[in-house]
């Protein structure tokens, strides 16, 4: 197992190298010039040239890549051209926001998705089955942007139950330590801040959870159906095990492998930022950050973020693979 | 056990959904901005979002009168220009302190200027100073005479410099603060203004609080928070429920909804901008010596890459002007958030020529002009359509479509060309386009900032053009240069009016609209005054 993990982590190196080359060249192949974007519409060519020189954008591409790579190997992702801030610092400032949102929405998605999938499978062709699967299709196909606005309209504007935009009420003074608001408010014992950040989390995480929730529900259902048709289930039923035991103790565990895969993939995707949700709910997460950076042609930021996302994705996939071992004892990594 | 757990759960859910509106005794205004600031150094910002934060933390030597582009004293109490117009001496206000407690004085003024123009200045390396080269190129240096007197030395007389001095670019920063934070000073803004910087949570909000030691009366607001809400519908909803008390850039489609809500008030004013379609008249010059001026002997006119025979003919350009129903575009696409334009600068500015008669909407006449020019069957032309919405043009693609159908009616086929914004600017500055949609938002409130930048022959430099019609009329350029060289306002106005007549006659542009700037507040927000420059000053504001 240890050797397997080491091997997988070592494989991260060629992956990241490939990703770095891709990230580096793709953003530069895209037309546009960061010097023009920061200098503003009204800037003189002299200013633009001096900015290009300052950030080394006038050098040949291979030289630029080499300089950047050396810098990255020293653990420095460079500075943003637009904000002049260290990219690593900017990513770490925003990443807790994204993780917090992702975690809460994955909790929603997994709980509700799995339950709906299990119920649908165990009562195939029942009213539950049809309505859950109907909802799942609805959930997958609904544009998040629209759903977000609708949630805001209903729960924010008409019912006035929940706040609309941001992470916490502007009226609450609050000390940021880790950047995870729920955690920070608990550490500092600031109960008002805890409740407020929880309230601000609900609508965006519900909006964000719909697609993974629907996917999880559908995968759980089909995987369960497959397991329920297997011989050992028939044996258990024949043994006279109560149906509840059959389903929850034996079938569910065996049906979980594909579900875990889907969860891992979705989690990895959400960590790269849920751009639309973050925009609608004014969530200062990493997705909005990288999209802004692409629009501004902020090369160091885009490259840094892509590297970061790639590492995250690989690590989440590794963790998923490790979880398999615990779910299914038949799986071994030699 | 189970029931206890249930009770705790119920309580939590109850708390979460209850309206814990932390009613505060403090006077706090949360303003919903469309984006985050990029940097917080007034000399080093070019985007509206950064500027609106800067304008409440920093001050300059002079400032605008409320709601206008006229100049009044601020950190300078008085000033006097030398007879030849190349030196201006400023007397500075005494007893003003920066937010870090240090004194405002001549050293601070010289520091704030010199770091931008002097490449040997130790703090020059910490910024791009993009606006300096563009707006303050005529400044030679800023000199200290004594602790409370400074002298601004110009390379040549420049009548627009006084209005330029009201720009954020030359706001005065604390040298002590700059020394303390060096390259990170842009994250720790420290000025003399009505509000002090408190915190910046990236992409979320920036908090300012009232400066208790302000040299004028303390601001009425205790706190001013700029909260980032990128989506316009979300911004309006946040305003409706009172999460924020004011928002910028409301969606014109929501205006009726805003007007119907008695808790909200929509403030509008013609903005300092122009949205237009430029027609490439064919020729520009290569600015070999990069001085931004066309040297008639050494820099000949050359064809622009987008050279297109029909558009080089005045009659064709006039015909296009007559073929487009601008009023209908203003009414239906700008949805009433703009006024129809006939000249290339906003009507409230010095030297605006109101006697010019706009080209009427007259497709029959347009058709006739096209025939006279030798194109009875029209032609096919490419129009560059902006990929982004700008303050002077909310919906460029729709405007493009409207123009396409109007021109089709007189036989001209319009093809669209769209690229991302950075490239769009690069390509149009290089003159790749045949026709393009663009516009301009003024910087300082001076007519020179429209006329010279957009319509002068000097602005036809290929690769760095501001004159996107590549309208190389030397007489117009002479008038514009003369208007800049004199401080006599009447003379200036005459020159600009004359120039506008010629620009109108040669018809390089279809001037579409001056869009209004719009801002929405809750009705209990009082005292806000719109400025034609669209800059946002919250000093006089309070909440009832």
């Amino acid at each position: 197992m240890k050797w397997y993990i080491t091997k997988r982590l070592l494989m991260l190196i060629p992956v990241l190298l490939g990703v770095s080359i891709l990230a580096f060249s793709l953003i530069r192949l895209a037309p546009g010039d960061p010097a023009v974007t920061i200098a503003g519409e009204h800037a003189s060519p002299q200013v633009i040239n001096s900015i290009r020189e300052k950030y080394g954008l006038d050098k040949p591409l291979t030289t630029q890549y080499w300089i950047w790579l050396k810098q990255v190997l020293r653990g420095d992702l460079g500075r943003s051209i637009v904000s002049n801030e260290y990219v690593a610092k900017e990513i770490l400032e925003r990443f807790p926001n994204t993780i917090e949102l992702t975690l809460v929405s994955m909790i929603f998605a997994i709980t509700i998705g799995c339950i709906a999938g299990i119920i649908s499978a165990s009562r195939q062709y029942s009213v539950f089955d049809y309505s859950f699967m109907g909802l799942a299709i609805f959930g997958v196909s609904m544009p998040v942007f629209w759903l977000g606005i609708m949630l805001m309209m209903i729960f924010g504007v008409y019912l006035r139950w929940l706040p609309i935009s941001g992470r916490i009420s502007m009226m609450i003074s609050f000390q940021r330590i880790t950047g995870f608001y729920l955690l920070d408010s608990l550490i500092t014992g600031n109960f008002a801040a805890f409740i407020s950040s929880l309230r601000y989390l609900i609508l965006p995480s519900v909006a964000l959870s719909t697609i993974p929730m629907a996917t999880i529900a559908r995968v759980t259902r089909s995987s369960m159906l497959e397991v329920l048709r297997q011989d050992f289930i028939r044996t258990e039923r024949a043994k006279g095990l109560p149906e509840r035991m059959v389903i929850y103790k034996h079938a569910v565990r065996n049906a979980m492998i594909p579900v875990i895969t889907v969860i891992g993939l979705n989690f990895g995707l959400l960590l790269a930022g849920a751009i639309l949700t973050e925009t609608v709910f004014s969530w200062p997460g990493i997705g909005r950050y990288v999209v802004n950076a692409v629009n501004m042609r902020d090369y160091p930021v885009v490259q840094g973020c892509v590297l970061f996302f790639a590492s995250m994705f690989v690590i989440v996939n590794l963790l998923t693979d490790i979880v398999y071992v615990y779910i299914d004892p038949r799986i071994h990594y030699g | 056990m189970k029931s206890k757990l249930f009770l705790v759960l119920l309580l939590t859910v109850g708390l979460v959904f209850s309206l814990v509106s932390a009613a505060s005794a403090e006077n706090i205004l949360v303003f919903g901005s469309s984006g985050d600031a990029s940097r917080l150094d007034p000399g080093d910002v070019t985007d509206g979002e950064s500027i609106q934060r800067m304008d409440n933390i920093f001050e300059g030597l002079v400032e605008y009168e409320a709601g206008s582009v006229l100049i009044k004293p601020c950190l300078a109490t008085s000033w006097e220009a030398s007879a030849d117009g190349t030196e201006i001496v400023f007397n500075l206000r005494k007893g003003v302190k920066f937010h870090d407690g240090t004194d405002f004085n001549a050293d601070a003024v010289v520091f704030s200027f010199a770091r931008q123009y002097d490449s040997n200045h130790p703090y020059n390396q910490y910024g791009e100073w993009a606006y300096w080269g563009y707006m303050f190129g005529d400044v030679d240096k800023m000199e200290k005479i004594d602790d409370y007197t400074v002298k601004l030395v110009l390379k040549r007389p420049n009548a627009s410099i006084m209005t330029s001095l009201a720009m954020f670019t030359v706001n005065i920063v604390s040298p002590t603060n700059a020394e303390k934070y060096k390259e990170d000073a842009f994250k720790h803004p420290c000025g003399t203004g009505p509000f002090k910087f408190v915190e910046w949570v990236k992409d979320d909000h920036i908090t300012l609080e009232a400066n208790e030691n302000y040299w004028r009366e303390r601001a009425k607001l205790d706190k001013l928070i700029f909260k980032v809400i990128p989506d316009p519908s979300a911004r309006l909803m946040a305003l409706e429920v009172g999460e924020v008390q004011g928002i910028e850039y409301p969606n014109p489609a929501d205006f009726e909804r805003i007007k119907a809500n008695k808790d909200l008030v929509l403030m509008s004013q013609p903005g300092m901008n122009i949205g237009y379609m430029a027609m490439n008249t064919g020729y520009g010059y290569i600015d070999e010596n990069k001085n931004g001026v066309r040297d008639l002997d050494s820099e000949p006119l050359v064809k622009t890459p987008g050279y297109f025979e029909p558009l080089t003919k005045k009659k064709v350009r006039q015909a296009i002007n007559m073929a487009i129903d601008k009023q209908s575009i203003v009414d239906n696409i700008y949805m009433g958030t703009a006024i129809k334009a006939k000249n290339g600068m906003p009507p409230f500015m010095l030297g605006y020529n109101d006697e010019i008669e706009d080209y009427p909407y007259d497709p029959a006449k347009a058709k006739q002009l096209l025939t006279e020019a030798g194109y009875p069957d029209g032609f096919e032309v490419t129009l560059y359509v902006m990929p982004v919405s700008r303050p002077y043009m909310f919906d460029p693609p729709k405007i493009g479509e409207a123009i396409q159908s109007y021109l089709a009616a007189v036989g001209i086929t319009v093809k669209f060309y769209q690229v991302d914004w950075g490239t769009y600017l690069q390509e149009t500055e290089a003159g790749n386009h045949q026709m393009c949609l663009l516009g301009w938002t003024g910087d300082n409130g001076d007519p020179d900032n429209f006329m010279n930048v957009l319509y002068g022959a000097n602005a036809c430099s290929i690769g760095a053009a501001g004159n996107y019609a590549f309208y190389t009329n030397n007489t117009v350029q002479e008038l514009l240069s003369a208007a800049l060289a004199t401080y006599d306002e009447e003379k200036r106005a005459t020159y600009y009016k004359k120039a506008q007549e010629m620009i109108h006659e040669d018809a390089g542009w279809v001037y579409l609209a001056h869009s209004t700037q719009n801002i929405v507040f809750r009705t209990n927000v009082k005292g806000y005054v719109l400025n034609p420059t669209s800059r946002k000053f919250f000093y006089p504001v309070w909440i009832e």
Side-chain angles (χ1 to χ4, degrees):
Chain A
M1 187 71 171
K2 251 183 216 154
W3 168 234
Y4 173 75
I5 294 176
T6 324
K7 208 168 69 183
R8 285 285 298 264
L9 287 177
L10 281 176
M11 267 164 61
L12 197 59
I13 297 170
V15 168
L16 289 187
L17 208 63
V19 165
S20 76
I21 294 174
L22 263 183
F24 187 90
S25 35
L26 277 182
I27 184 75
R28 279 173 173 74
L29 281 176
D33 182 341
V36 175
T37 18
I38 45 168
E41 272 164 77
H42 303 177
S44 64
Q46 290 95 312
V47 172
I48 293 173
N49 283 334
S50 78
I51 295 173
R52 275 195 200 123
E53 266 169 46
K54 183 173 169 183
Y55 289 95
L57 298 170
D58 54 340
K59 296 194 174 76
L61 279 186
T62 42
T63 321
Q64 286 187 44
Y65 178 71
W66 184 234
I67 293 174
W68 178 65
L69 193 67
K70 278 195 293 191
Q71 205 184 343
V72 171
L73 289 177
R74 283 198 304 268
D76 176 8
L77 293 178
R79 275 180 181 248
S80 152
I81 298 179
V82 174
S83 74
N84 208 13
E85 180 65 277
Y86 288 104
V87 175
K89 188 167 177 283
E90 296 227 302
I91 291 180
L92 292 180
E93 257 174 25
R94 291 167 176 83
F95 196 50
N97 303 340
T98 299
I99 295 193
E100 200 163 19
L101 179 62
T102 305
L103 276 180
V104 175
S105 20
M106 282 314 282
I107 291 175
F108 274 136
I110 294 170
T111 332
I112 302 178
C114 282
I115 292 176
I118 293 170
I119 295 180
S120 301
S122 53
R123 302 185 187 176
Q124 207 186 354
Y125 306 130
S126 70
V127 183
F128 290 111
D129 186 17
Y130 285 123
S131 40
F132 281 147
M133 289 307 114
L135 277 178
I137 287 179
F138 194 57
V140 162
S141 37
M142 189 146 39
V144 175
F145 202 81
W146 179 83
L147 176 69
I149 299 267
M150 283 303 122
L151 287 173
M152 285 160 79
M153 283 279 235
I154 297 168
F155 295 99
V157 179
Y158 292 120
L159 296 173
R160 307 253 168 154
W161 285 358
L162 289 166
I164 288 173
S165 57
R167 289 212 62 190
I168 192 164
S169 164
M170 289 288 125
M171 302 298 153
I172 286 177
S173 51
F174 165 64
Q175 197 197 343
R176 283 163 200 83
I177 304 166
T178 60
F180 295 97
Y181 281 29
L182 292 178
L183 195 65
D184 288 352
S185 52
L186 284 179
I187 294 174
T188 53
N190 190 340
F191 188 64
F194 181 77
I195 292 293
S196 174
S197 43
L198 199 58
R199 280 162 52 80
Y200 276 83
L201 255 169
I202 294 176
L203 291 186
S205 29
V206 167
L208 191 56
S209 68
T210 46
I211 292 180
M213 188 188 294
T215 324
I216 290 171
R218 290 193 65 87
V219 172
T220 309
R221 177 180 180 271
S222 57
S223 170
M224 279 289 286
L225 284 176
E226 207 180 295
V227 172
L228 285 174
R229 283 191 197 110
Q230 285 181 17
D231 291 344
F232 76 95
I233 296 285
R234 192 182 306 140
T235 317
E236 278 168 352
R237 283 188 180 138
K239 266 189 343 191
L241 262 187
E243 186 65 15
R244 257 180 71 173
M245 285 283 279
V246 172
I247 288 174
Y248 291 100
K249 192 140 191 265
H250 298 274
V252 167
R253 193 163 171 188
N254 279 293
M256 273 301 123
I257 296 279
V259 180
I260 300 279
T261 313
V262 168
I263 291 174
L265 282 177
N266 271 298
F267 196 74
L269 277 179
L270 291 193
L271 281 187
I275 297 136
L276 291 181
T277 315
E278 285 176 1
T279 305
V280 183
F281 289 98
S282 320
W283 198 265
I286 200 130
R288 239 173 76 200
Y289 176 57
V290 74
V291 167
N292 275 342
V294 171
N295 286 336
M296 302 294 279
R297 296 287 181 277
D298 197 341
Y299 296 160
V301 174
V302 177
Q303 289 158 204
C305 284
V306 171
L307 265 193
F308 181 74
F309 293 157
S311 332
M312 279 297 131
F313 206 81
V314 172
I315 290 170
V316 169
N317 274 325
L318 174 60
L319 291 179
T320 318
D321 288 348
I322 293 173
V323 170
Y324 290 157
V325 178
Y326 292 94
I327 298 277
D328 188 343
R330 284 171 303 181
I331 297 177
H332 286 287
Y333 299 121
Chain B
M1 182 62 205
K2 251 190 179 168
S3 65
K4 238 185 208 167
L5 206 74
F6 183 71
L7 203 72
V8 169
L9 207 73
L10 201 73
L11 214 72
T12 318
V13 170
L15 257 173
V16 166
F17 281 90
S18 65
L19 299 163
V20 270
S21 57
S24 172
E26 281 183 306
N27 219 305
I28 302 177
L29 182 111
V30 186
F31 187 75
S33 304
S34 63
D36 199 5
S38 56
R39 306 177 183 192
L40 300 177
D41 182 330
D44 203 22
V45 298
T46 54
D47 60 296
E49 293 305 327
S50 302
I51 295 164
Q52 69 182 226
R53 277 71 163 179
M54 294 300 89
D55 278 335
N56 294 285
I57 303 175
F58 293 93
E59 293 170 315
L61 295 176
V62 297
E63 65 182 358
Y64 298 123
E65 302 260 9
S68 88
V69 287
L70 299 173
I71 297 304
K72 69 172 189 178
C74 185
L75 290 178
T77 50
S78 61
W79 53 88
E80 198 170 347
S82 65
D84 66 350
T86 56
E87 288 181 1
I88 309 172
V89 173
F90 293 89
N91 298 306
L92 305 181
R93 194 173 294 280
K94 292 178 179 147
V96 176
K97 292 218 181 284
F98 285 107
H99 300 152
D100 59 3
T102 56
D103 283 324
F104 159 79
N105 53 29
D107 292 321
V109 176
V110 173
F111 177 87
S112 303
F113 278 68
R115 63 184 187 138
Q116 302 193 49
Y117 65 73
D118 177 4
S119 54
N120 296 319
H121 195 277
Y123 292 84
N124 183 264
Q125 54 178 317
Y126 299 137
E128 327 297 348
W129 323 117
Y131 252 122
W132 179 275
Y134 164 64
M135 291 304 294
F136 298 90
D138 282 348
V139 170
D140 184 31
K141 59 192 168 191
M142 179 61 103
E143 284 178 342
K144 172 179 174 177
I145 295 180
D146 61 44
D147 272 355
Y148 288 95
T149 319
V150 292
K151 182 165 78 179
L152 182 68
V153 184
L154 300 174
K155 292 173 189 155
R156 60 188 79 87
N158 181 328
S160 73
I161 201 76
M162 283 311 297
T163 30
S164 296
L165 286 175
M167 285 182 68
F168 44 87
T169 314
V170 285
N171 277 351
I172 310 302
V173 303
S174 156
T176 323
N177 184 70
E179 199 179 325
K180 183 173 164 193
Y181 292 107
K182 301 216 162 53
E183 58 180 348
D184 283 337
F186 73 91
K187 285 186 278 181
H188 305 274
C190 177
T192 59
F195 294 97
K196 276 184 355 188
F197 173 73
V198 180
E199 70 165 353
W200 182 9
V201 178
K202 290 275 178 77
D203 282 347
D204 192 50
H205 70 272
I206 286 177
T207 305
L208 313 181
E209 66 183 10
N211 172 9
E212 301 292 344
N213 300 315
Y214 192 40
W215 56 275
R216 281 186 267 218
E217 200 186 316
R218 175 197 187 275
K220 293 174 188 114
L221 290 173
D222 296 311
K223 269 189 190 166
L224 171 61
I225 301 172
F226 293 96
K227 178 171 173 172
V228 181
I229 308 182
D231 181 57
S233 319
R235 217 157 45 231
L236 178 58
M237 283 193 258
L239 181 70
E240 286 172 334
V241 300
E243 272 178 34
V244 299
Q245 285 74 45
I247 58 166
E248 62 179 353
Y249 304 128
N251 214 334
D254 290 328
F255 281 9
E256 287 312 311
R257 180 164 138 208
I258 295 168
K259 284 175 191 158
N261 186 334
K262 62 177 182 2
D263 291 333
L264 305 182
V265 50
L266 171 69
M267 298 175 81
S268 297
Q269 189 189 61
M272 188 165 65
N273 61 63
I274 173 76
Y276 56 70
M277 178 175 84
M279 293 171 271
N280 189 340
T281 63
Y283 297 90
Y285 71 99
I286 313 274
D287 194 7
E288 302 277 6
N289 52 14
K290 306 261 175 233
N291 63 351
V293 172
R294 180 175 165 227
D295 302 301
L296 298 180
D297 307 322
S298 61
E299 292 170 342
L301 288 180
V302 290
K303 275 187 187 173
T304 60
Y307 176 91
F308 182 53
E309 186 77 33
L311 293 179
T312 60
K313 302 193 167 141
K314 185 163 94 180
K315 279 193 176 159
V316 171
R317 301 193 301 262
Q318 289 178 336
I320 291 176
N321 261 288
M322 289 183 198
I324 296 170
D325 186 355
K326 299 199 280 191
Q327 191 59 51
S328 165
I329 290 180
V330 167
D331 292 343
N332 299 311
I333 300 176
Y334 282 90
M335 291 189 267
T337 65
I339 53 170
K340 193 173 80 153
K342 61 178 181 181
N343 286 320
M345 68 179 192
F348 53 81
M349 273 190 171
L350 175 76
Y352 179 82
N353 192 338
D354 211 10
E355 279 152 32
I356 286 175
E357 248 183 72
D358 200 4
Y359 291 106
Y361 172 52
D362 189 346
K365 183 77 197 296
K367 193 106 192 119
Q368 183 197 331
L369 281 174
L370 282 175
T371 313
E372 282 170 27
Y375 300 97
D377 304 320
F379 48 83
E380 188 178 284
V381 64
T382 306
L383 172 65
Y384 276 47
V385 178
M386 292 155 56
V388 290
S389 130
R390 303 298 293 166
Y392 47 76
M393 209 177 279
F394 291 115
D395 200 344
K398 270 198 193 146
I399 291 179
E401 281 166 27
I403 289 175
Q404 186 179 44
S405 67
Y406 286 127
L407 292 189
V410 296
I412 301 174
T413 311
V414 175
K415 283 199 311 192
F416 290 156
Y417 177 81
Q418 248 191 333
V419 271
D420 73 288
W421 185 224
T423 319
Y424 190 90
L425 290 176
Q426 264 178 342
E427 290 202 17
T428 47
E429 278 167 18
N432 290 358
H433 59 285
Q434 294 172 351
M435 304 197 298
C436 70
L437 293 178
L438 261 170
W440 183 257
T441 305
D443 298 290
N444 57 359
D446 194 273
D448 179 70
N449 182 235
F450 276 81
M451 299 300 288
N452 213 354
V453 183
L454 302 178
Y455 314 118
N458 286 340
C460 292
S461 143
I462 292 176
N467 180 332
Y468 293 97
F470 290 89
Y471 171 60
T472 47
N473 185 326
N474 292 327
T475 321
V476 168
Q477 183 60 57
E478 277 161 24
L479 284 168
L480 300 180
S481 301
L484 191 61
T486 173
Y487 289 76
D488 180 335
E489 297 214 331
E490 248 173 73
K491 271 193 193 159
R492 293 190 75 198
T494 323
Y495 294 145
Y496 287 129
K497 284 181 177 170
K498 180 76 191 138
Q500 282 164 73
E501 275 171 29
M502 301 174 74
I503 294 169
H504 173 79
E505 168 66 21
D506 289 332
W509 290 262
V510 178
Y511 294 118
L512 296 168
H514 306 289
S515 68
T516 51
Q517 52 160 328
N518 306 293
I519 190 167
V520 192
F521 282 106
R522 292 191 65 82
T523 33
N524 60 347
V525 176
K526 305 286 179 194
Y528 188 84
V529 182
L530 289 170
N531 190 280
T533 58
S534 293
R535 286 167 63 184
K536 299 182 176 69
F537 303 99
F538 285 95
Y539 171 57
V541 175
W542 76 95
I543 294 181
E544 248 176 24

